Amino acid sequence: MQFKRKKIPSVNELAEAIFAGNKTLLARGITLIESRRTADHTLAQELIERCLPKINKSIRIGITGVPGVGKSTFIERLGKLITGMGKKVAVLAVDPSSSVTRGSILGDKTRMLELSKDPDAFIRPSPTGESLGGVARKTRESVILCEAAGYEVILIETVGVGQSETAVHSMVDFFLLLKLAGAGDELQGIKRGIMEMADGILINKADGDNLKRAQRARAEFERALQLYPPKASGWLPKVSTCSALNNEGITELWGMIEEFIANNRDSGFFETLRREQNTNWFLQTVDERLKSSFYQHPDVKKELTKLIKKVGNNQISPFKAADLLLSSFKQN
Amino acid sequence: MQFKRKKIPSVNELAEAIFAGNKTLLARGITLIESRRTADHTLAQELIERCLPKINKSIRIGITGVPGVGKSTFIERLGKLITGMGKKVAVLAVDPSSSVTRGSILGDKTRMLELSKDPDAFIRPSPTGESLGGVARKTRESVILCEAAGYEVILIETVGVGQSETAVHSMVDFFLLLKLAGAGDELQGIKRGIMEMADGILINKADGDNLKRAQRARAEFERALQLYPPKASGWLPKVSTCSALNNEGITELWGMIEEFIANNRDSGFFETLRREQNTNWFLQTVDERLKSSFYQHPDVKKELTKLIKKVGNNQISPFKAADLLLSSFKQN
């Protein structure tokens, strides 16, 4: 018996297949983006450059909420609603913790069984990576591939570890906070900064015994949102309830998003925000590449290990050590 | 009439005066560190290198708390207690917002009238700077000068704007959170991550009608602290109450700090932490200098402005723009 080696497609073959909507090769393209092999980086950049002219037609939605809030069920329902309208939906994730837990979030498509079988849906778990920066960059690049493959709505999920909401917020058009109605003060324990970022808040599990609590929570969030200054776009964030389990309130939520997008397109803020995001992305890319070209330099690597030891032992000051390291780089 | 120009002291003169405990020239030295003139940077670095062999004998204490918590009064009381024990105390601040408000925090020494007149106390407002990184670096470097001038306790204050607590936490031996007893849930509205950072929590204004509330708050914080995993050093953070106004509870708080320091010196964690802080400081310095040598390069400056415009107008992708910028730097 003979095993055939899987043929490695060229960047051109990948690009053409992605444009044609081939899910398997879209996944291969994203794997290329996520690869840590230096040789793959150039290929990944080529692929992205090929895809870039095809982007900017989708709506990008960020979704955050703590574990247990029902994100998977909600995303499955929302995804099905979107494909039901004849649109293609892609689900991506930014979860820096998945590098430890090996992709518990979105790791298995069984979490979204129905959606994963839908020909118009594409689900991809969070890239694994040591840093939020790396994970976020890879997701942002994967968005481009998905858009080039014709996905019209991109859902980007995060569990909100560390600064991951900020990262997701910086790459989406609409940012949704998913909440549960709790026993008491709904605002307690809410991460600072999240309220300011949210374009909409959705209280899930508004069903059965929980319905009244959810309605109270909605009123409380509505009051709290009034305390924040209006968004630059003029949009006033809205609060809505749903039962993802019973498939209730999903259409209303989609209506909120459509209203937001229409508003922002009219005011020109949709394009302004994307332009700002692009500029920030550019500056972040410059920072990252500058650092990586520095720290991957063989002389720097060698010197760095020695200097860290010396600094730790108080044999040299942090400044002097920095001077030495930078001058060893400049000489080469 | 003739005006004499203030004579500019040499680095050597500054260093010798600082070692001799001259407050005026210590202040001049810090001004040199805070200067934005490129020519001053080299002099500042020389001065720091001169001072470094004299450091590491002080205790560095970080103090955070929202405006209105009574930080100034508390620091004045604590400072007087310390000088009363025959020790010299320096008060510095990390407040990135002061670049806007022009140093409202600690800006006028009238806030600490008694302490500012004390010959054994040195008070310095927060350096102004555009970024937290810049403000933090300057404060960290000022600590060295203060220690070289014989200050045995360094208090570093912050109002906790943005990530400033994290910055202060990264440069101190003991981190104190100042709180007020409120009307209800004490833990509500507390910034995430602060509880994990605190080595001690002090509830101020525990006086008059407020006494019972302060005691309840203390119990609540004690319960809450038990939910966190123990510190790497084994220290269990403590909660204490005080009335800075009535000068009550300050000695007890100082006792808590002394116990902490003794524990950490015994376990060797005091030195371990300082070593880690030095290493991080080294790596941050490298990052900063790498960036500044890049962005201050005339070709990069010129190219950057053009590319930001092009990226904003979607004439070029963020990646391609980053490539162009970095290669224009490498060629020169």
Side-chain angles (χ1 to χ4, degrees), chain B residues 63-248:
Chain B
I63 299 165
T64 190
V66 294
V69 78
K71 276 198 302 300
S72 312
T73 315
F74 166 70
I75 290 173
E76 168 137 298
R77 300 298 194 190
L78 180 63
K80 290 301 288 179
L81 179 79
I82 293 166
T83 60
M85 295 183 296
K87 287 185 203 288
K88 288 175 73 179
V89 67
V91 183
L92 305 173
V94 170
D95 178 16
S97 68
S98 72
S99 56
V100 181
T101 57
R102 288 263 142 212
S104 66
I105 167 178
L106 272 176
D108 47 353
K109 292 183 183 175
T110 51
R111 286 205 309 134
M112 300 178 189
L113 202 56
E114 249 192 282
L115 193 62
S116 66
K117 287 187 215 147
D118 192 318
D120 287 333
F122 176 79
I123 302 181
R124 178 82 184 189
S126 178
T128 56
E130 318 72 38
S131 71
L132 171 60
V135 170
R137 180 182 57 72
K138 288 166 183 174
T139 303
R140 195 140 50 168
E141 294 176 356
S142 302
V143 168
I144 293 173
L145 266 53
C146 292
E147 291 180 348
Y151 291 88
E152 294 147 290
V153 181
I154 316 286
L155 306 179
I156 305 175
E157 175 188 11
T158 182
V159 283
V161 178
Q163 298 289 308
S164 65
E165 287 107 341
T166 310
V168 170
H169 182 252
S170 77
M171 59 178 91
V172 297
D173 306 310
F174 183 92
F175 193 69
L176 180 71
L177 170 62
L178 225 62
K179 288 292 290 178
L180 283 183
D185 188 329
E186 302 311 331
L187 300 169
Q188 192 191 333
I190 212 166
K191 233 169 153 181
R192 286 276 165 119
I194 295 293
M195 292 284 280
E196 288 92 329
M197 277 194 268
D199 298 304
I201 296 174
L202 182 65
I203 296 148
N204 192 18
K205 305 196 184 174
D207 43 38
D209 292 348
N210 220 22
L211 194 58
K212 279 227 169 103
R213 276 215 294 257
Q215 282 160 350
R216 273 200 303 270
R218 178 188 178 149
E220 193 172 342
F221 275 111
E222 276 169 349
R223 270 197 309 277
L225 281 170
Q226 289 169 5
L227 301 176
Y228 292 95
K231 302 242 162 190
S233 63
W235 172 256
L236 297 169
K238 290 188 165 37
V239 189
S240 191
T241 59
C242 85
S243 165
L245 192 72
N246 300 343
N247 208 3
E248 290 163 358

Side-chain angles (χ1 to χ4, degrees), chain A residues 189 192 275 289 312 317 323, chain B residues 49 189 192 275 289 312 317 323:
Chain A
R192 286 275 166 122
R275 252 202 301 279
R289 295 209 189 158
S317 82
D323 272 348
Chain B
E49 285 296 326
R192 286 276 165 119
R275 253 203 300 280
R289 294 209 189 158
S317 82
D323 271 349

Side-chain angles (χ1 to χ4, degrees), chain B residues 10 24 29 39-40 44 58 84 160 166 174 184 270 291 304 318 322 332:
Chain B
S10 70
T24 311
D40 288 342
S58 79
T166 310
F174 183 92
F270 189 90
K291 273 195 190 180
L304 187 65
N332 289 284

Side-chain angles (χ1 to χ4, degrees), chain A residues 38 41 284-301 325-326 328-330 332, chain B residues 286-287 290-291 293-294 322-323 325-327 329-330:
Chain A
T38 317
H41 290 180
Q284 276 174 35
T285 308
V286 171
D287 276 3
E288 266 173 35
R289 295 209 189 158
L290 181 66
K291 273 195 190 179
S292 82
S293 74
F294 178 74
Y295 287 109
Q296 278 169 17
H297 192 286
D299 291 348
V300 171
K301 273 188 186 173
L325 192 65
L326 284 160
S328 83
F329 180 64
K330 277 177 191 158
N332 290 283
Chain B
V286 171
D287 275 4
L290 181 67
K291 273 195 190 180
S293 74
F294 178 75
D323 271 349
L325 192 65
L326 284 160
S327 60
F329 180 63
K330 277 177 193 160

Side-chain angles (χ1 to χ4, degrees), chain A residues 273-283, chain B residues 311 314 318:
Chain A
L273 184 64
R274 287 238 174 152
R275 252 202 301 279
E276 279 176 19
Q277 288 177 346
N278 264 356
T279 307
N280 289 334
W281 191 359
F282 161 51
L283 295 173
Chain B
V311 167
N314 274 322

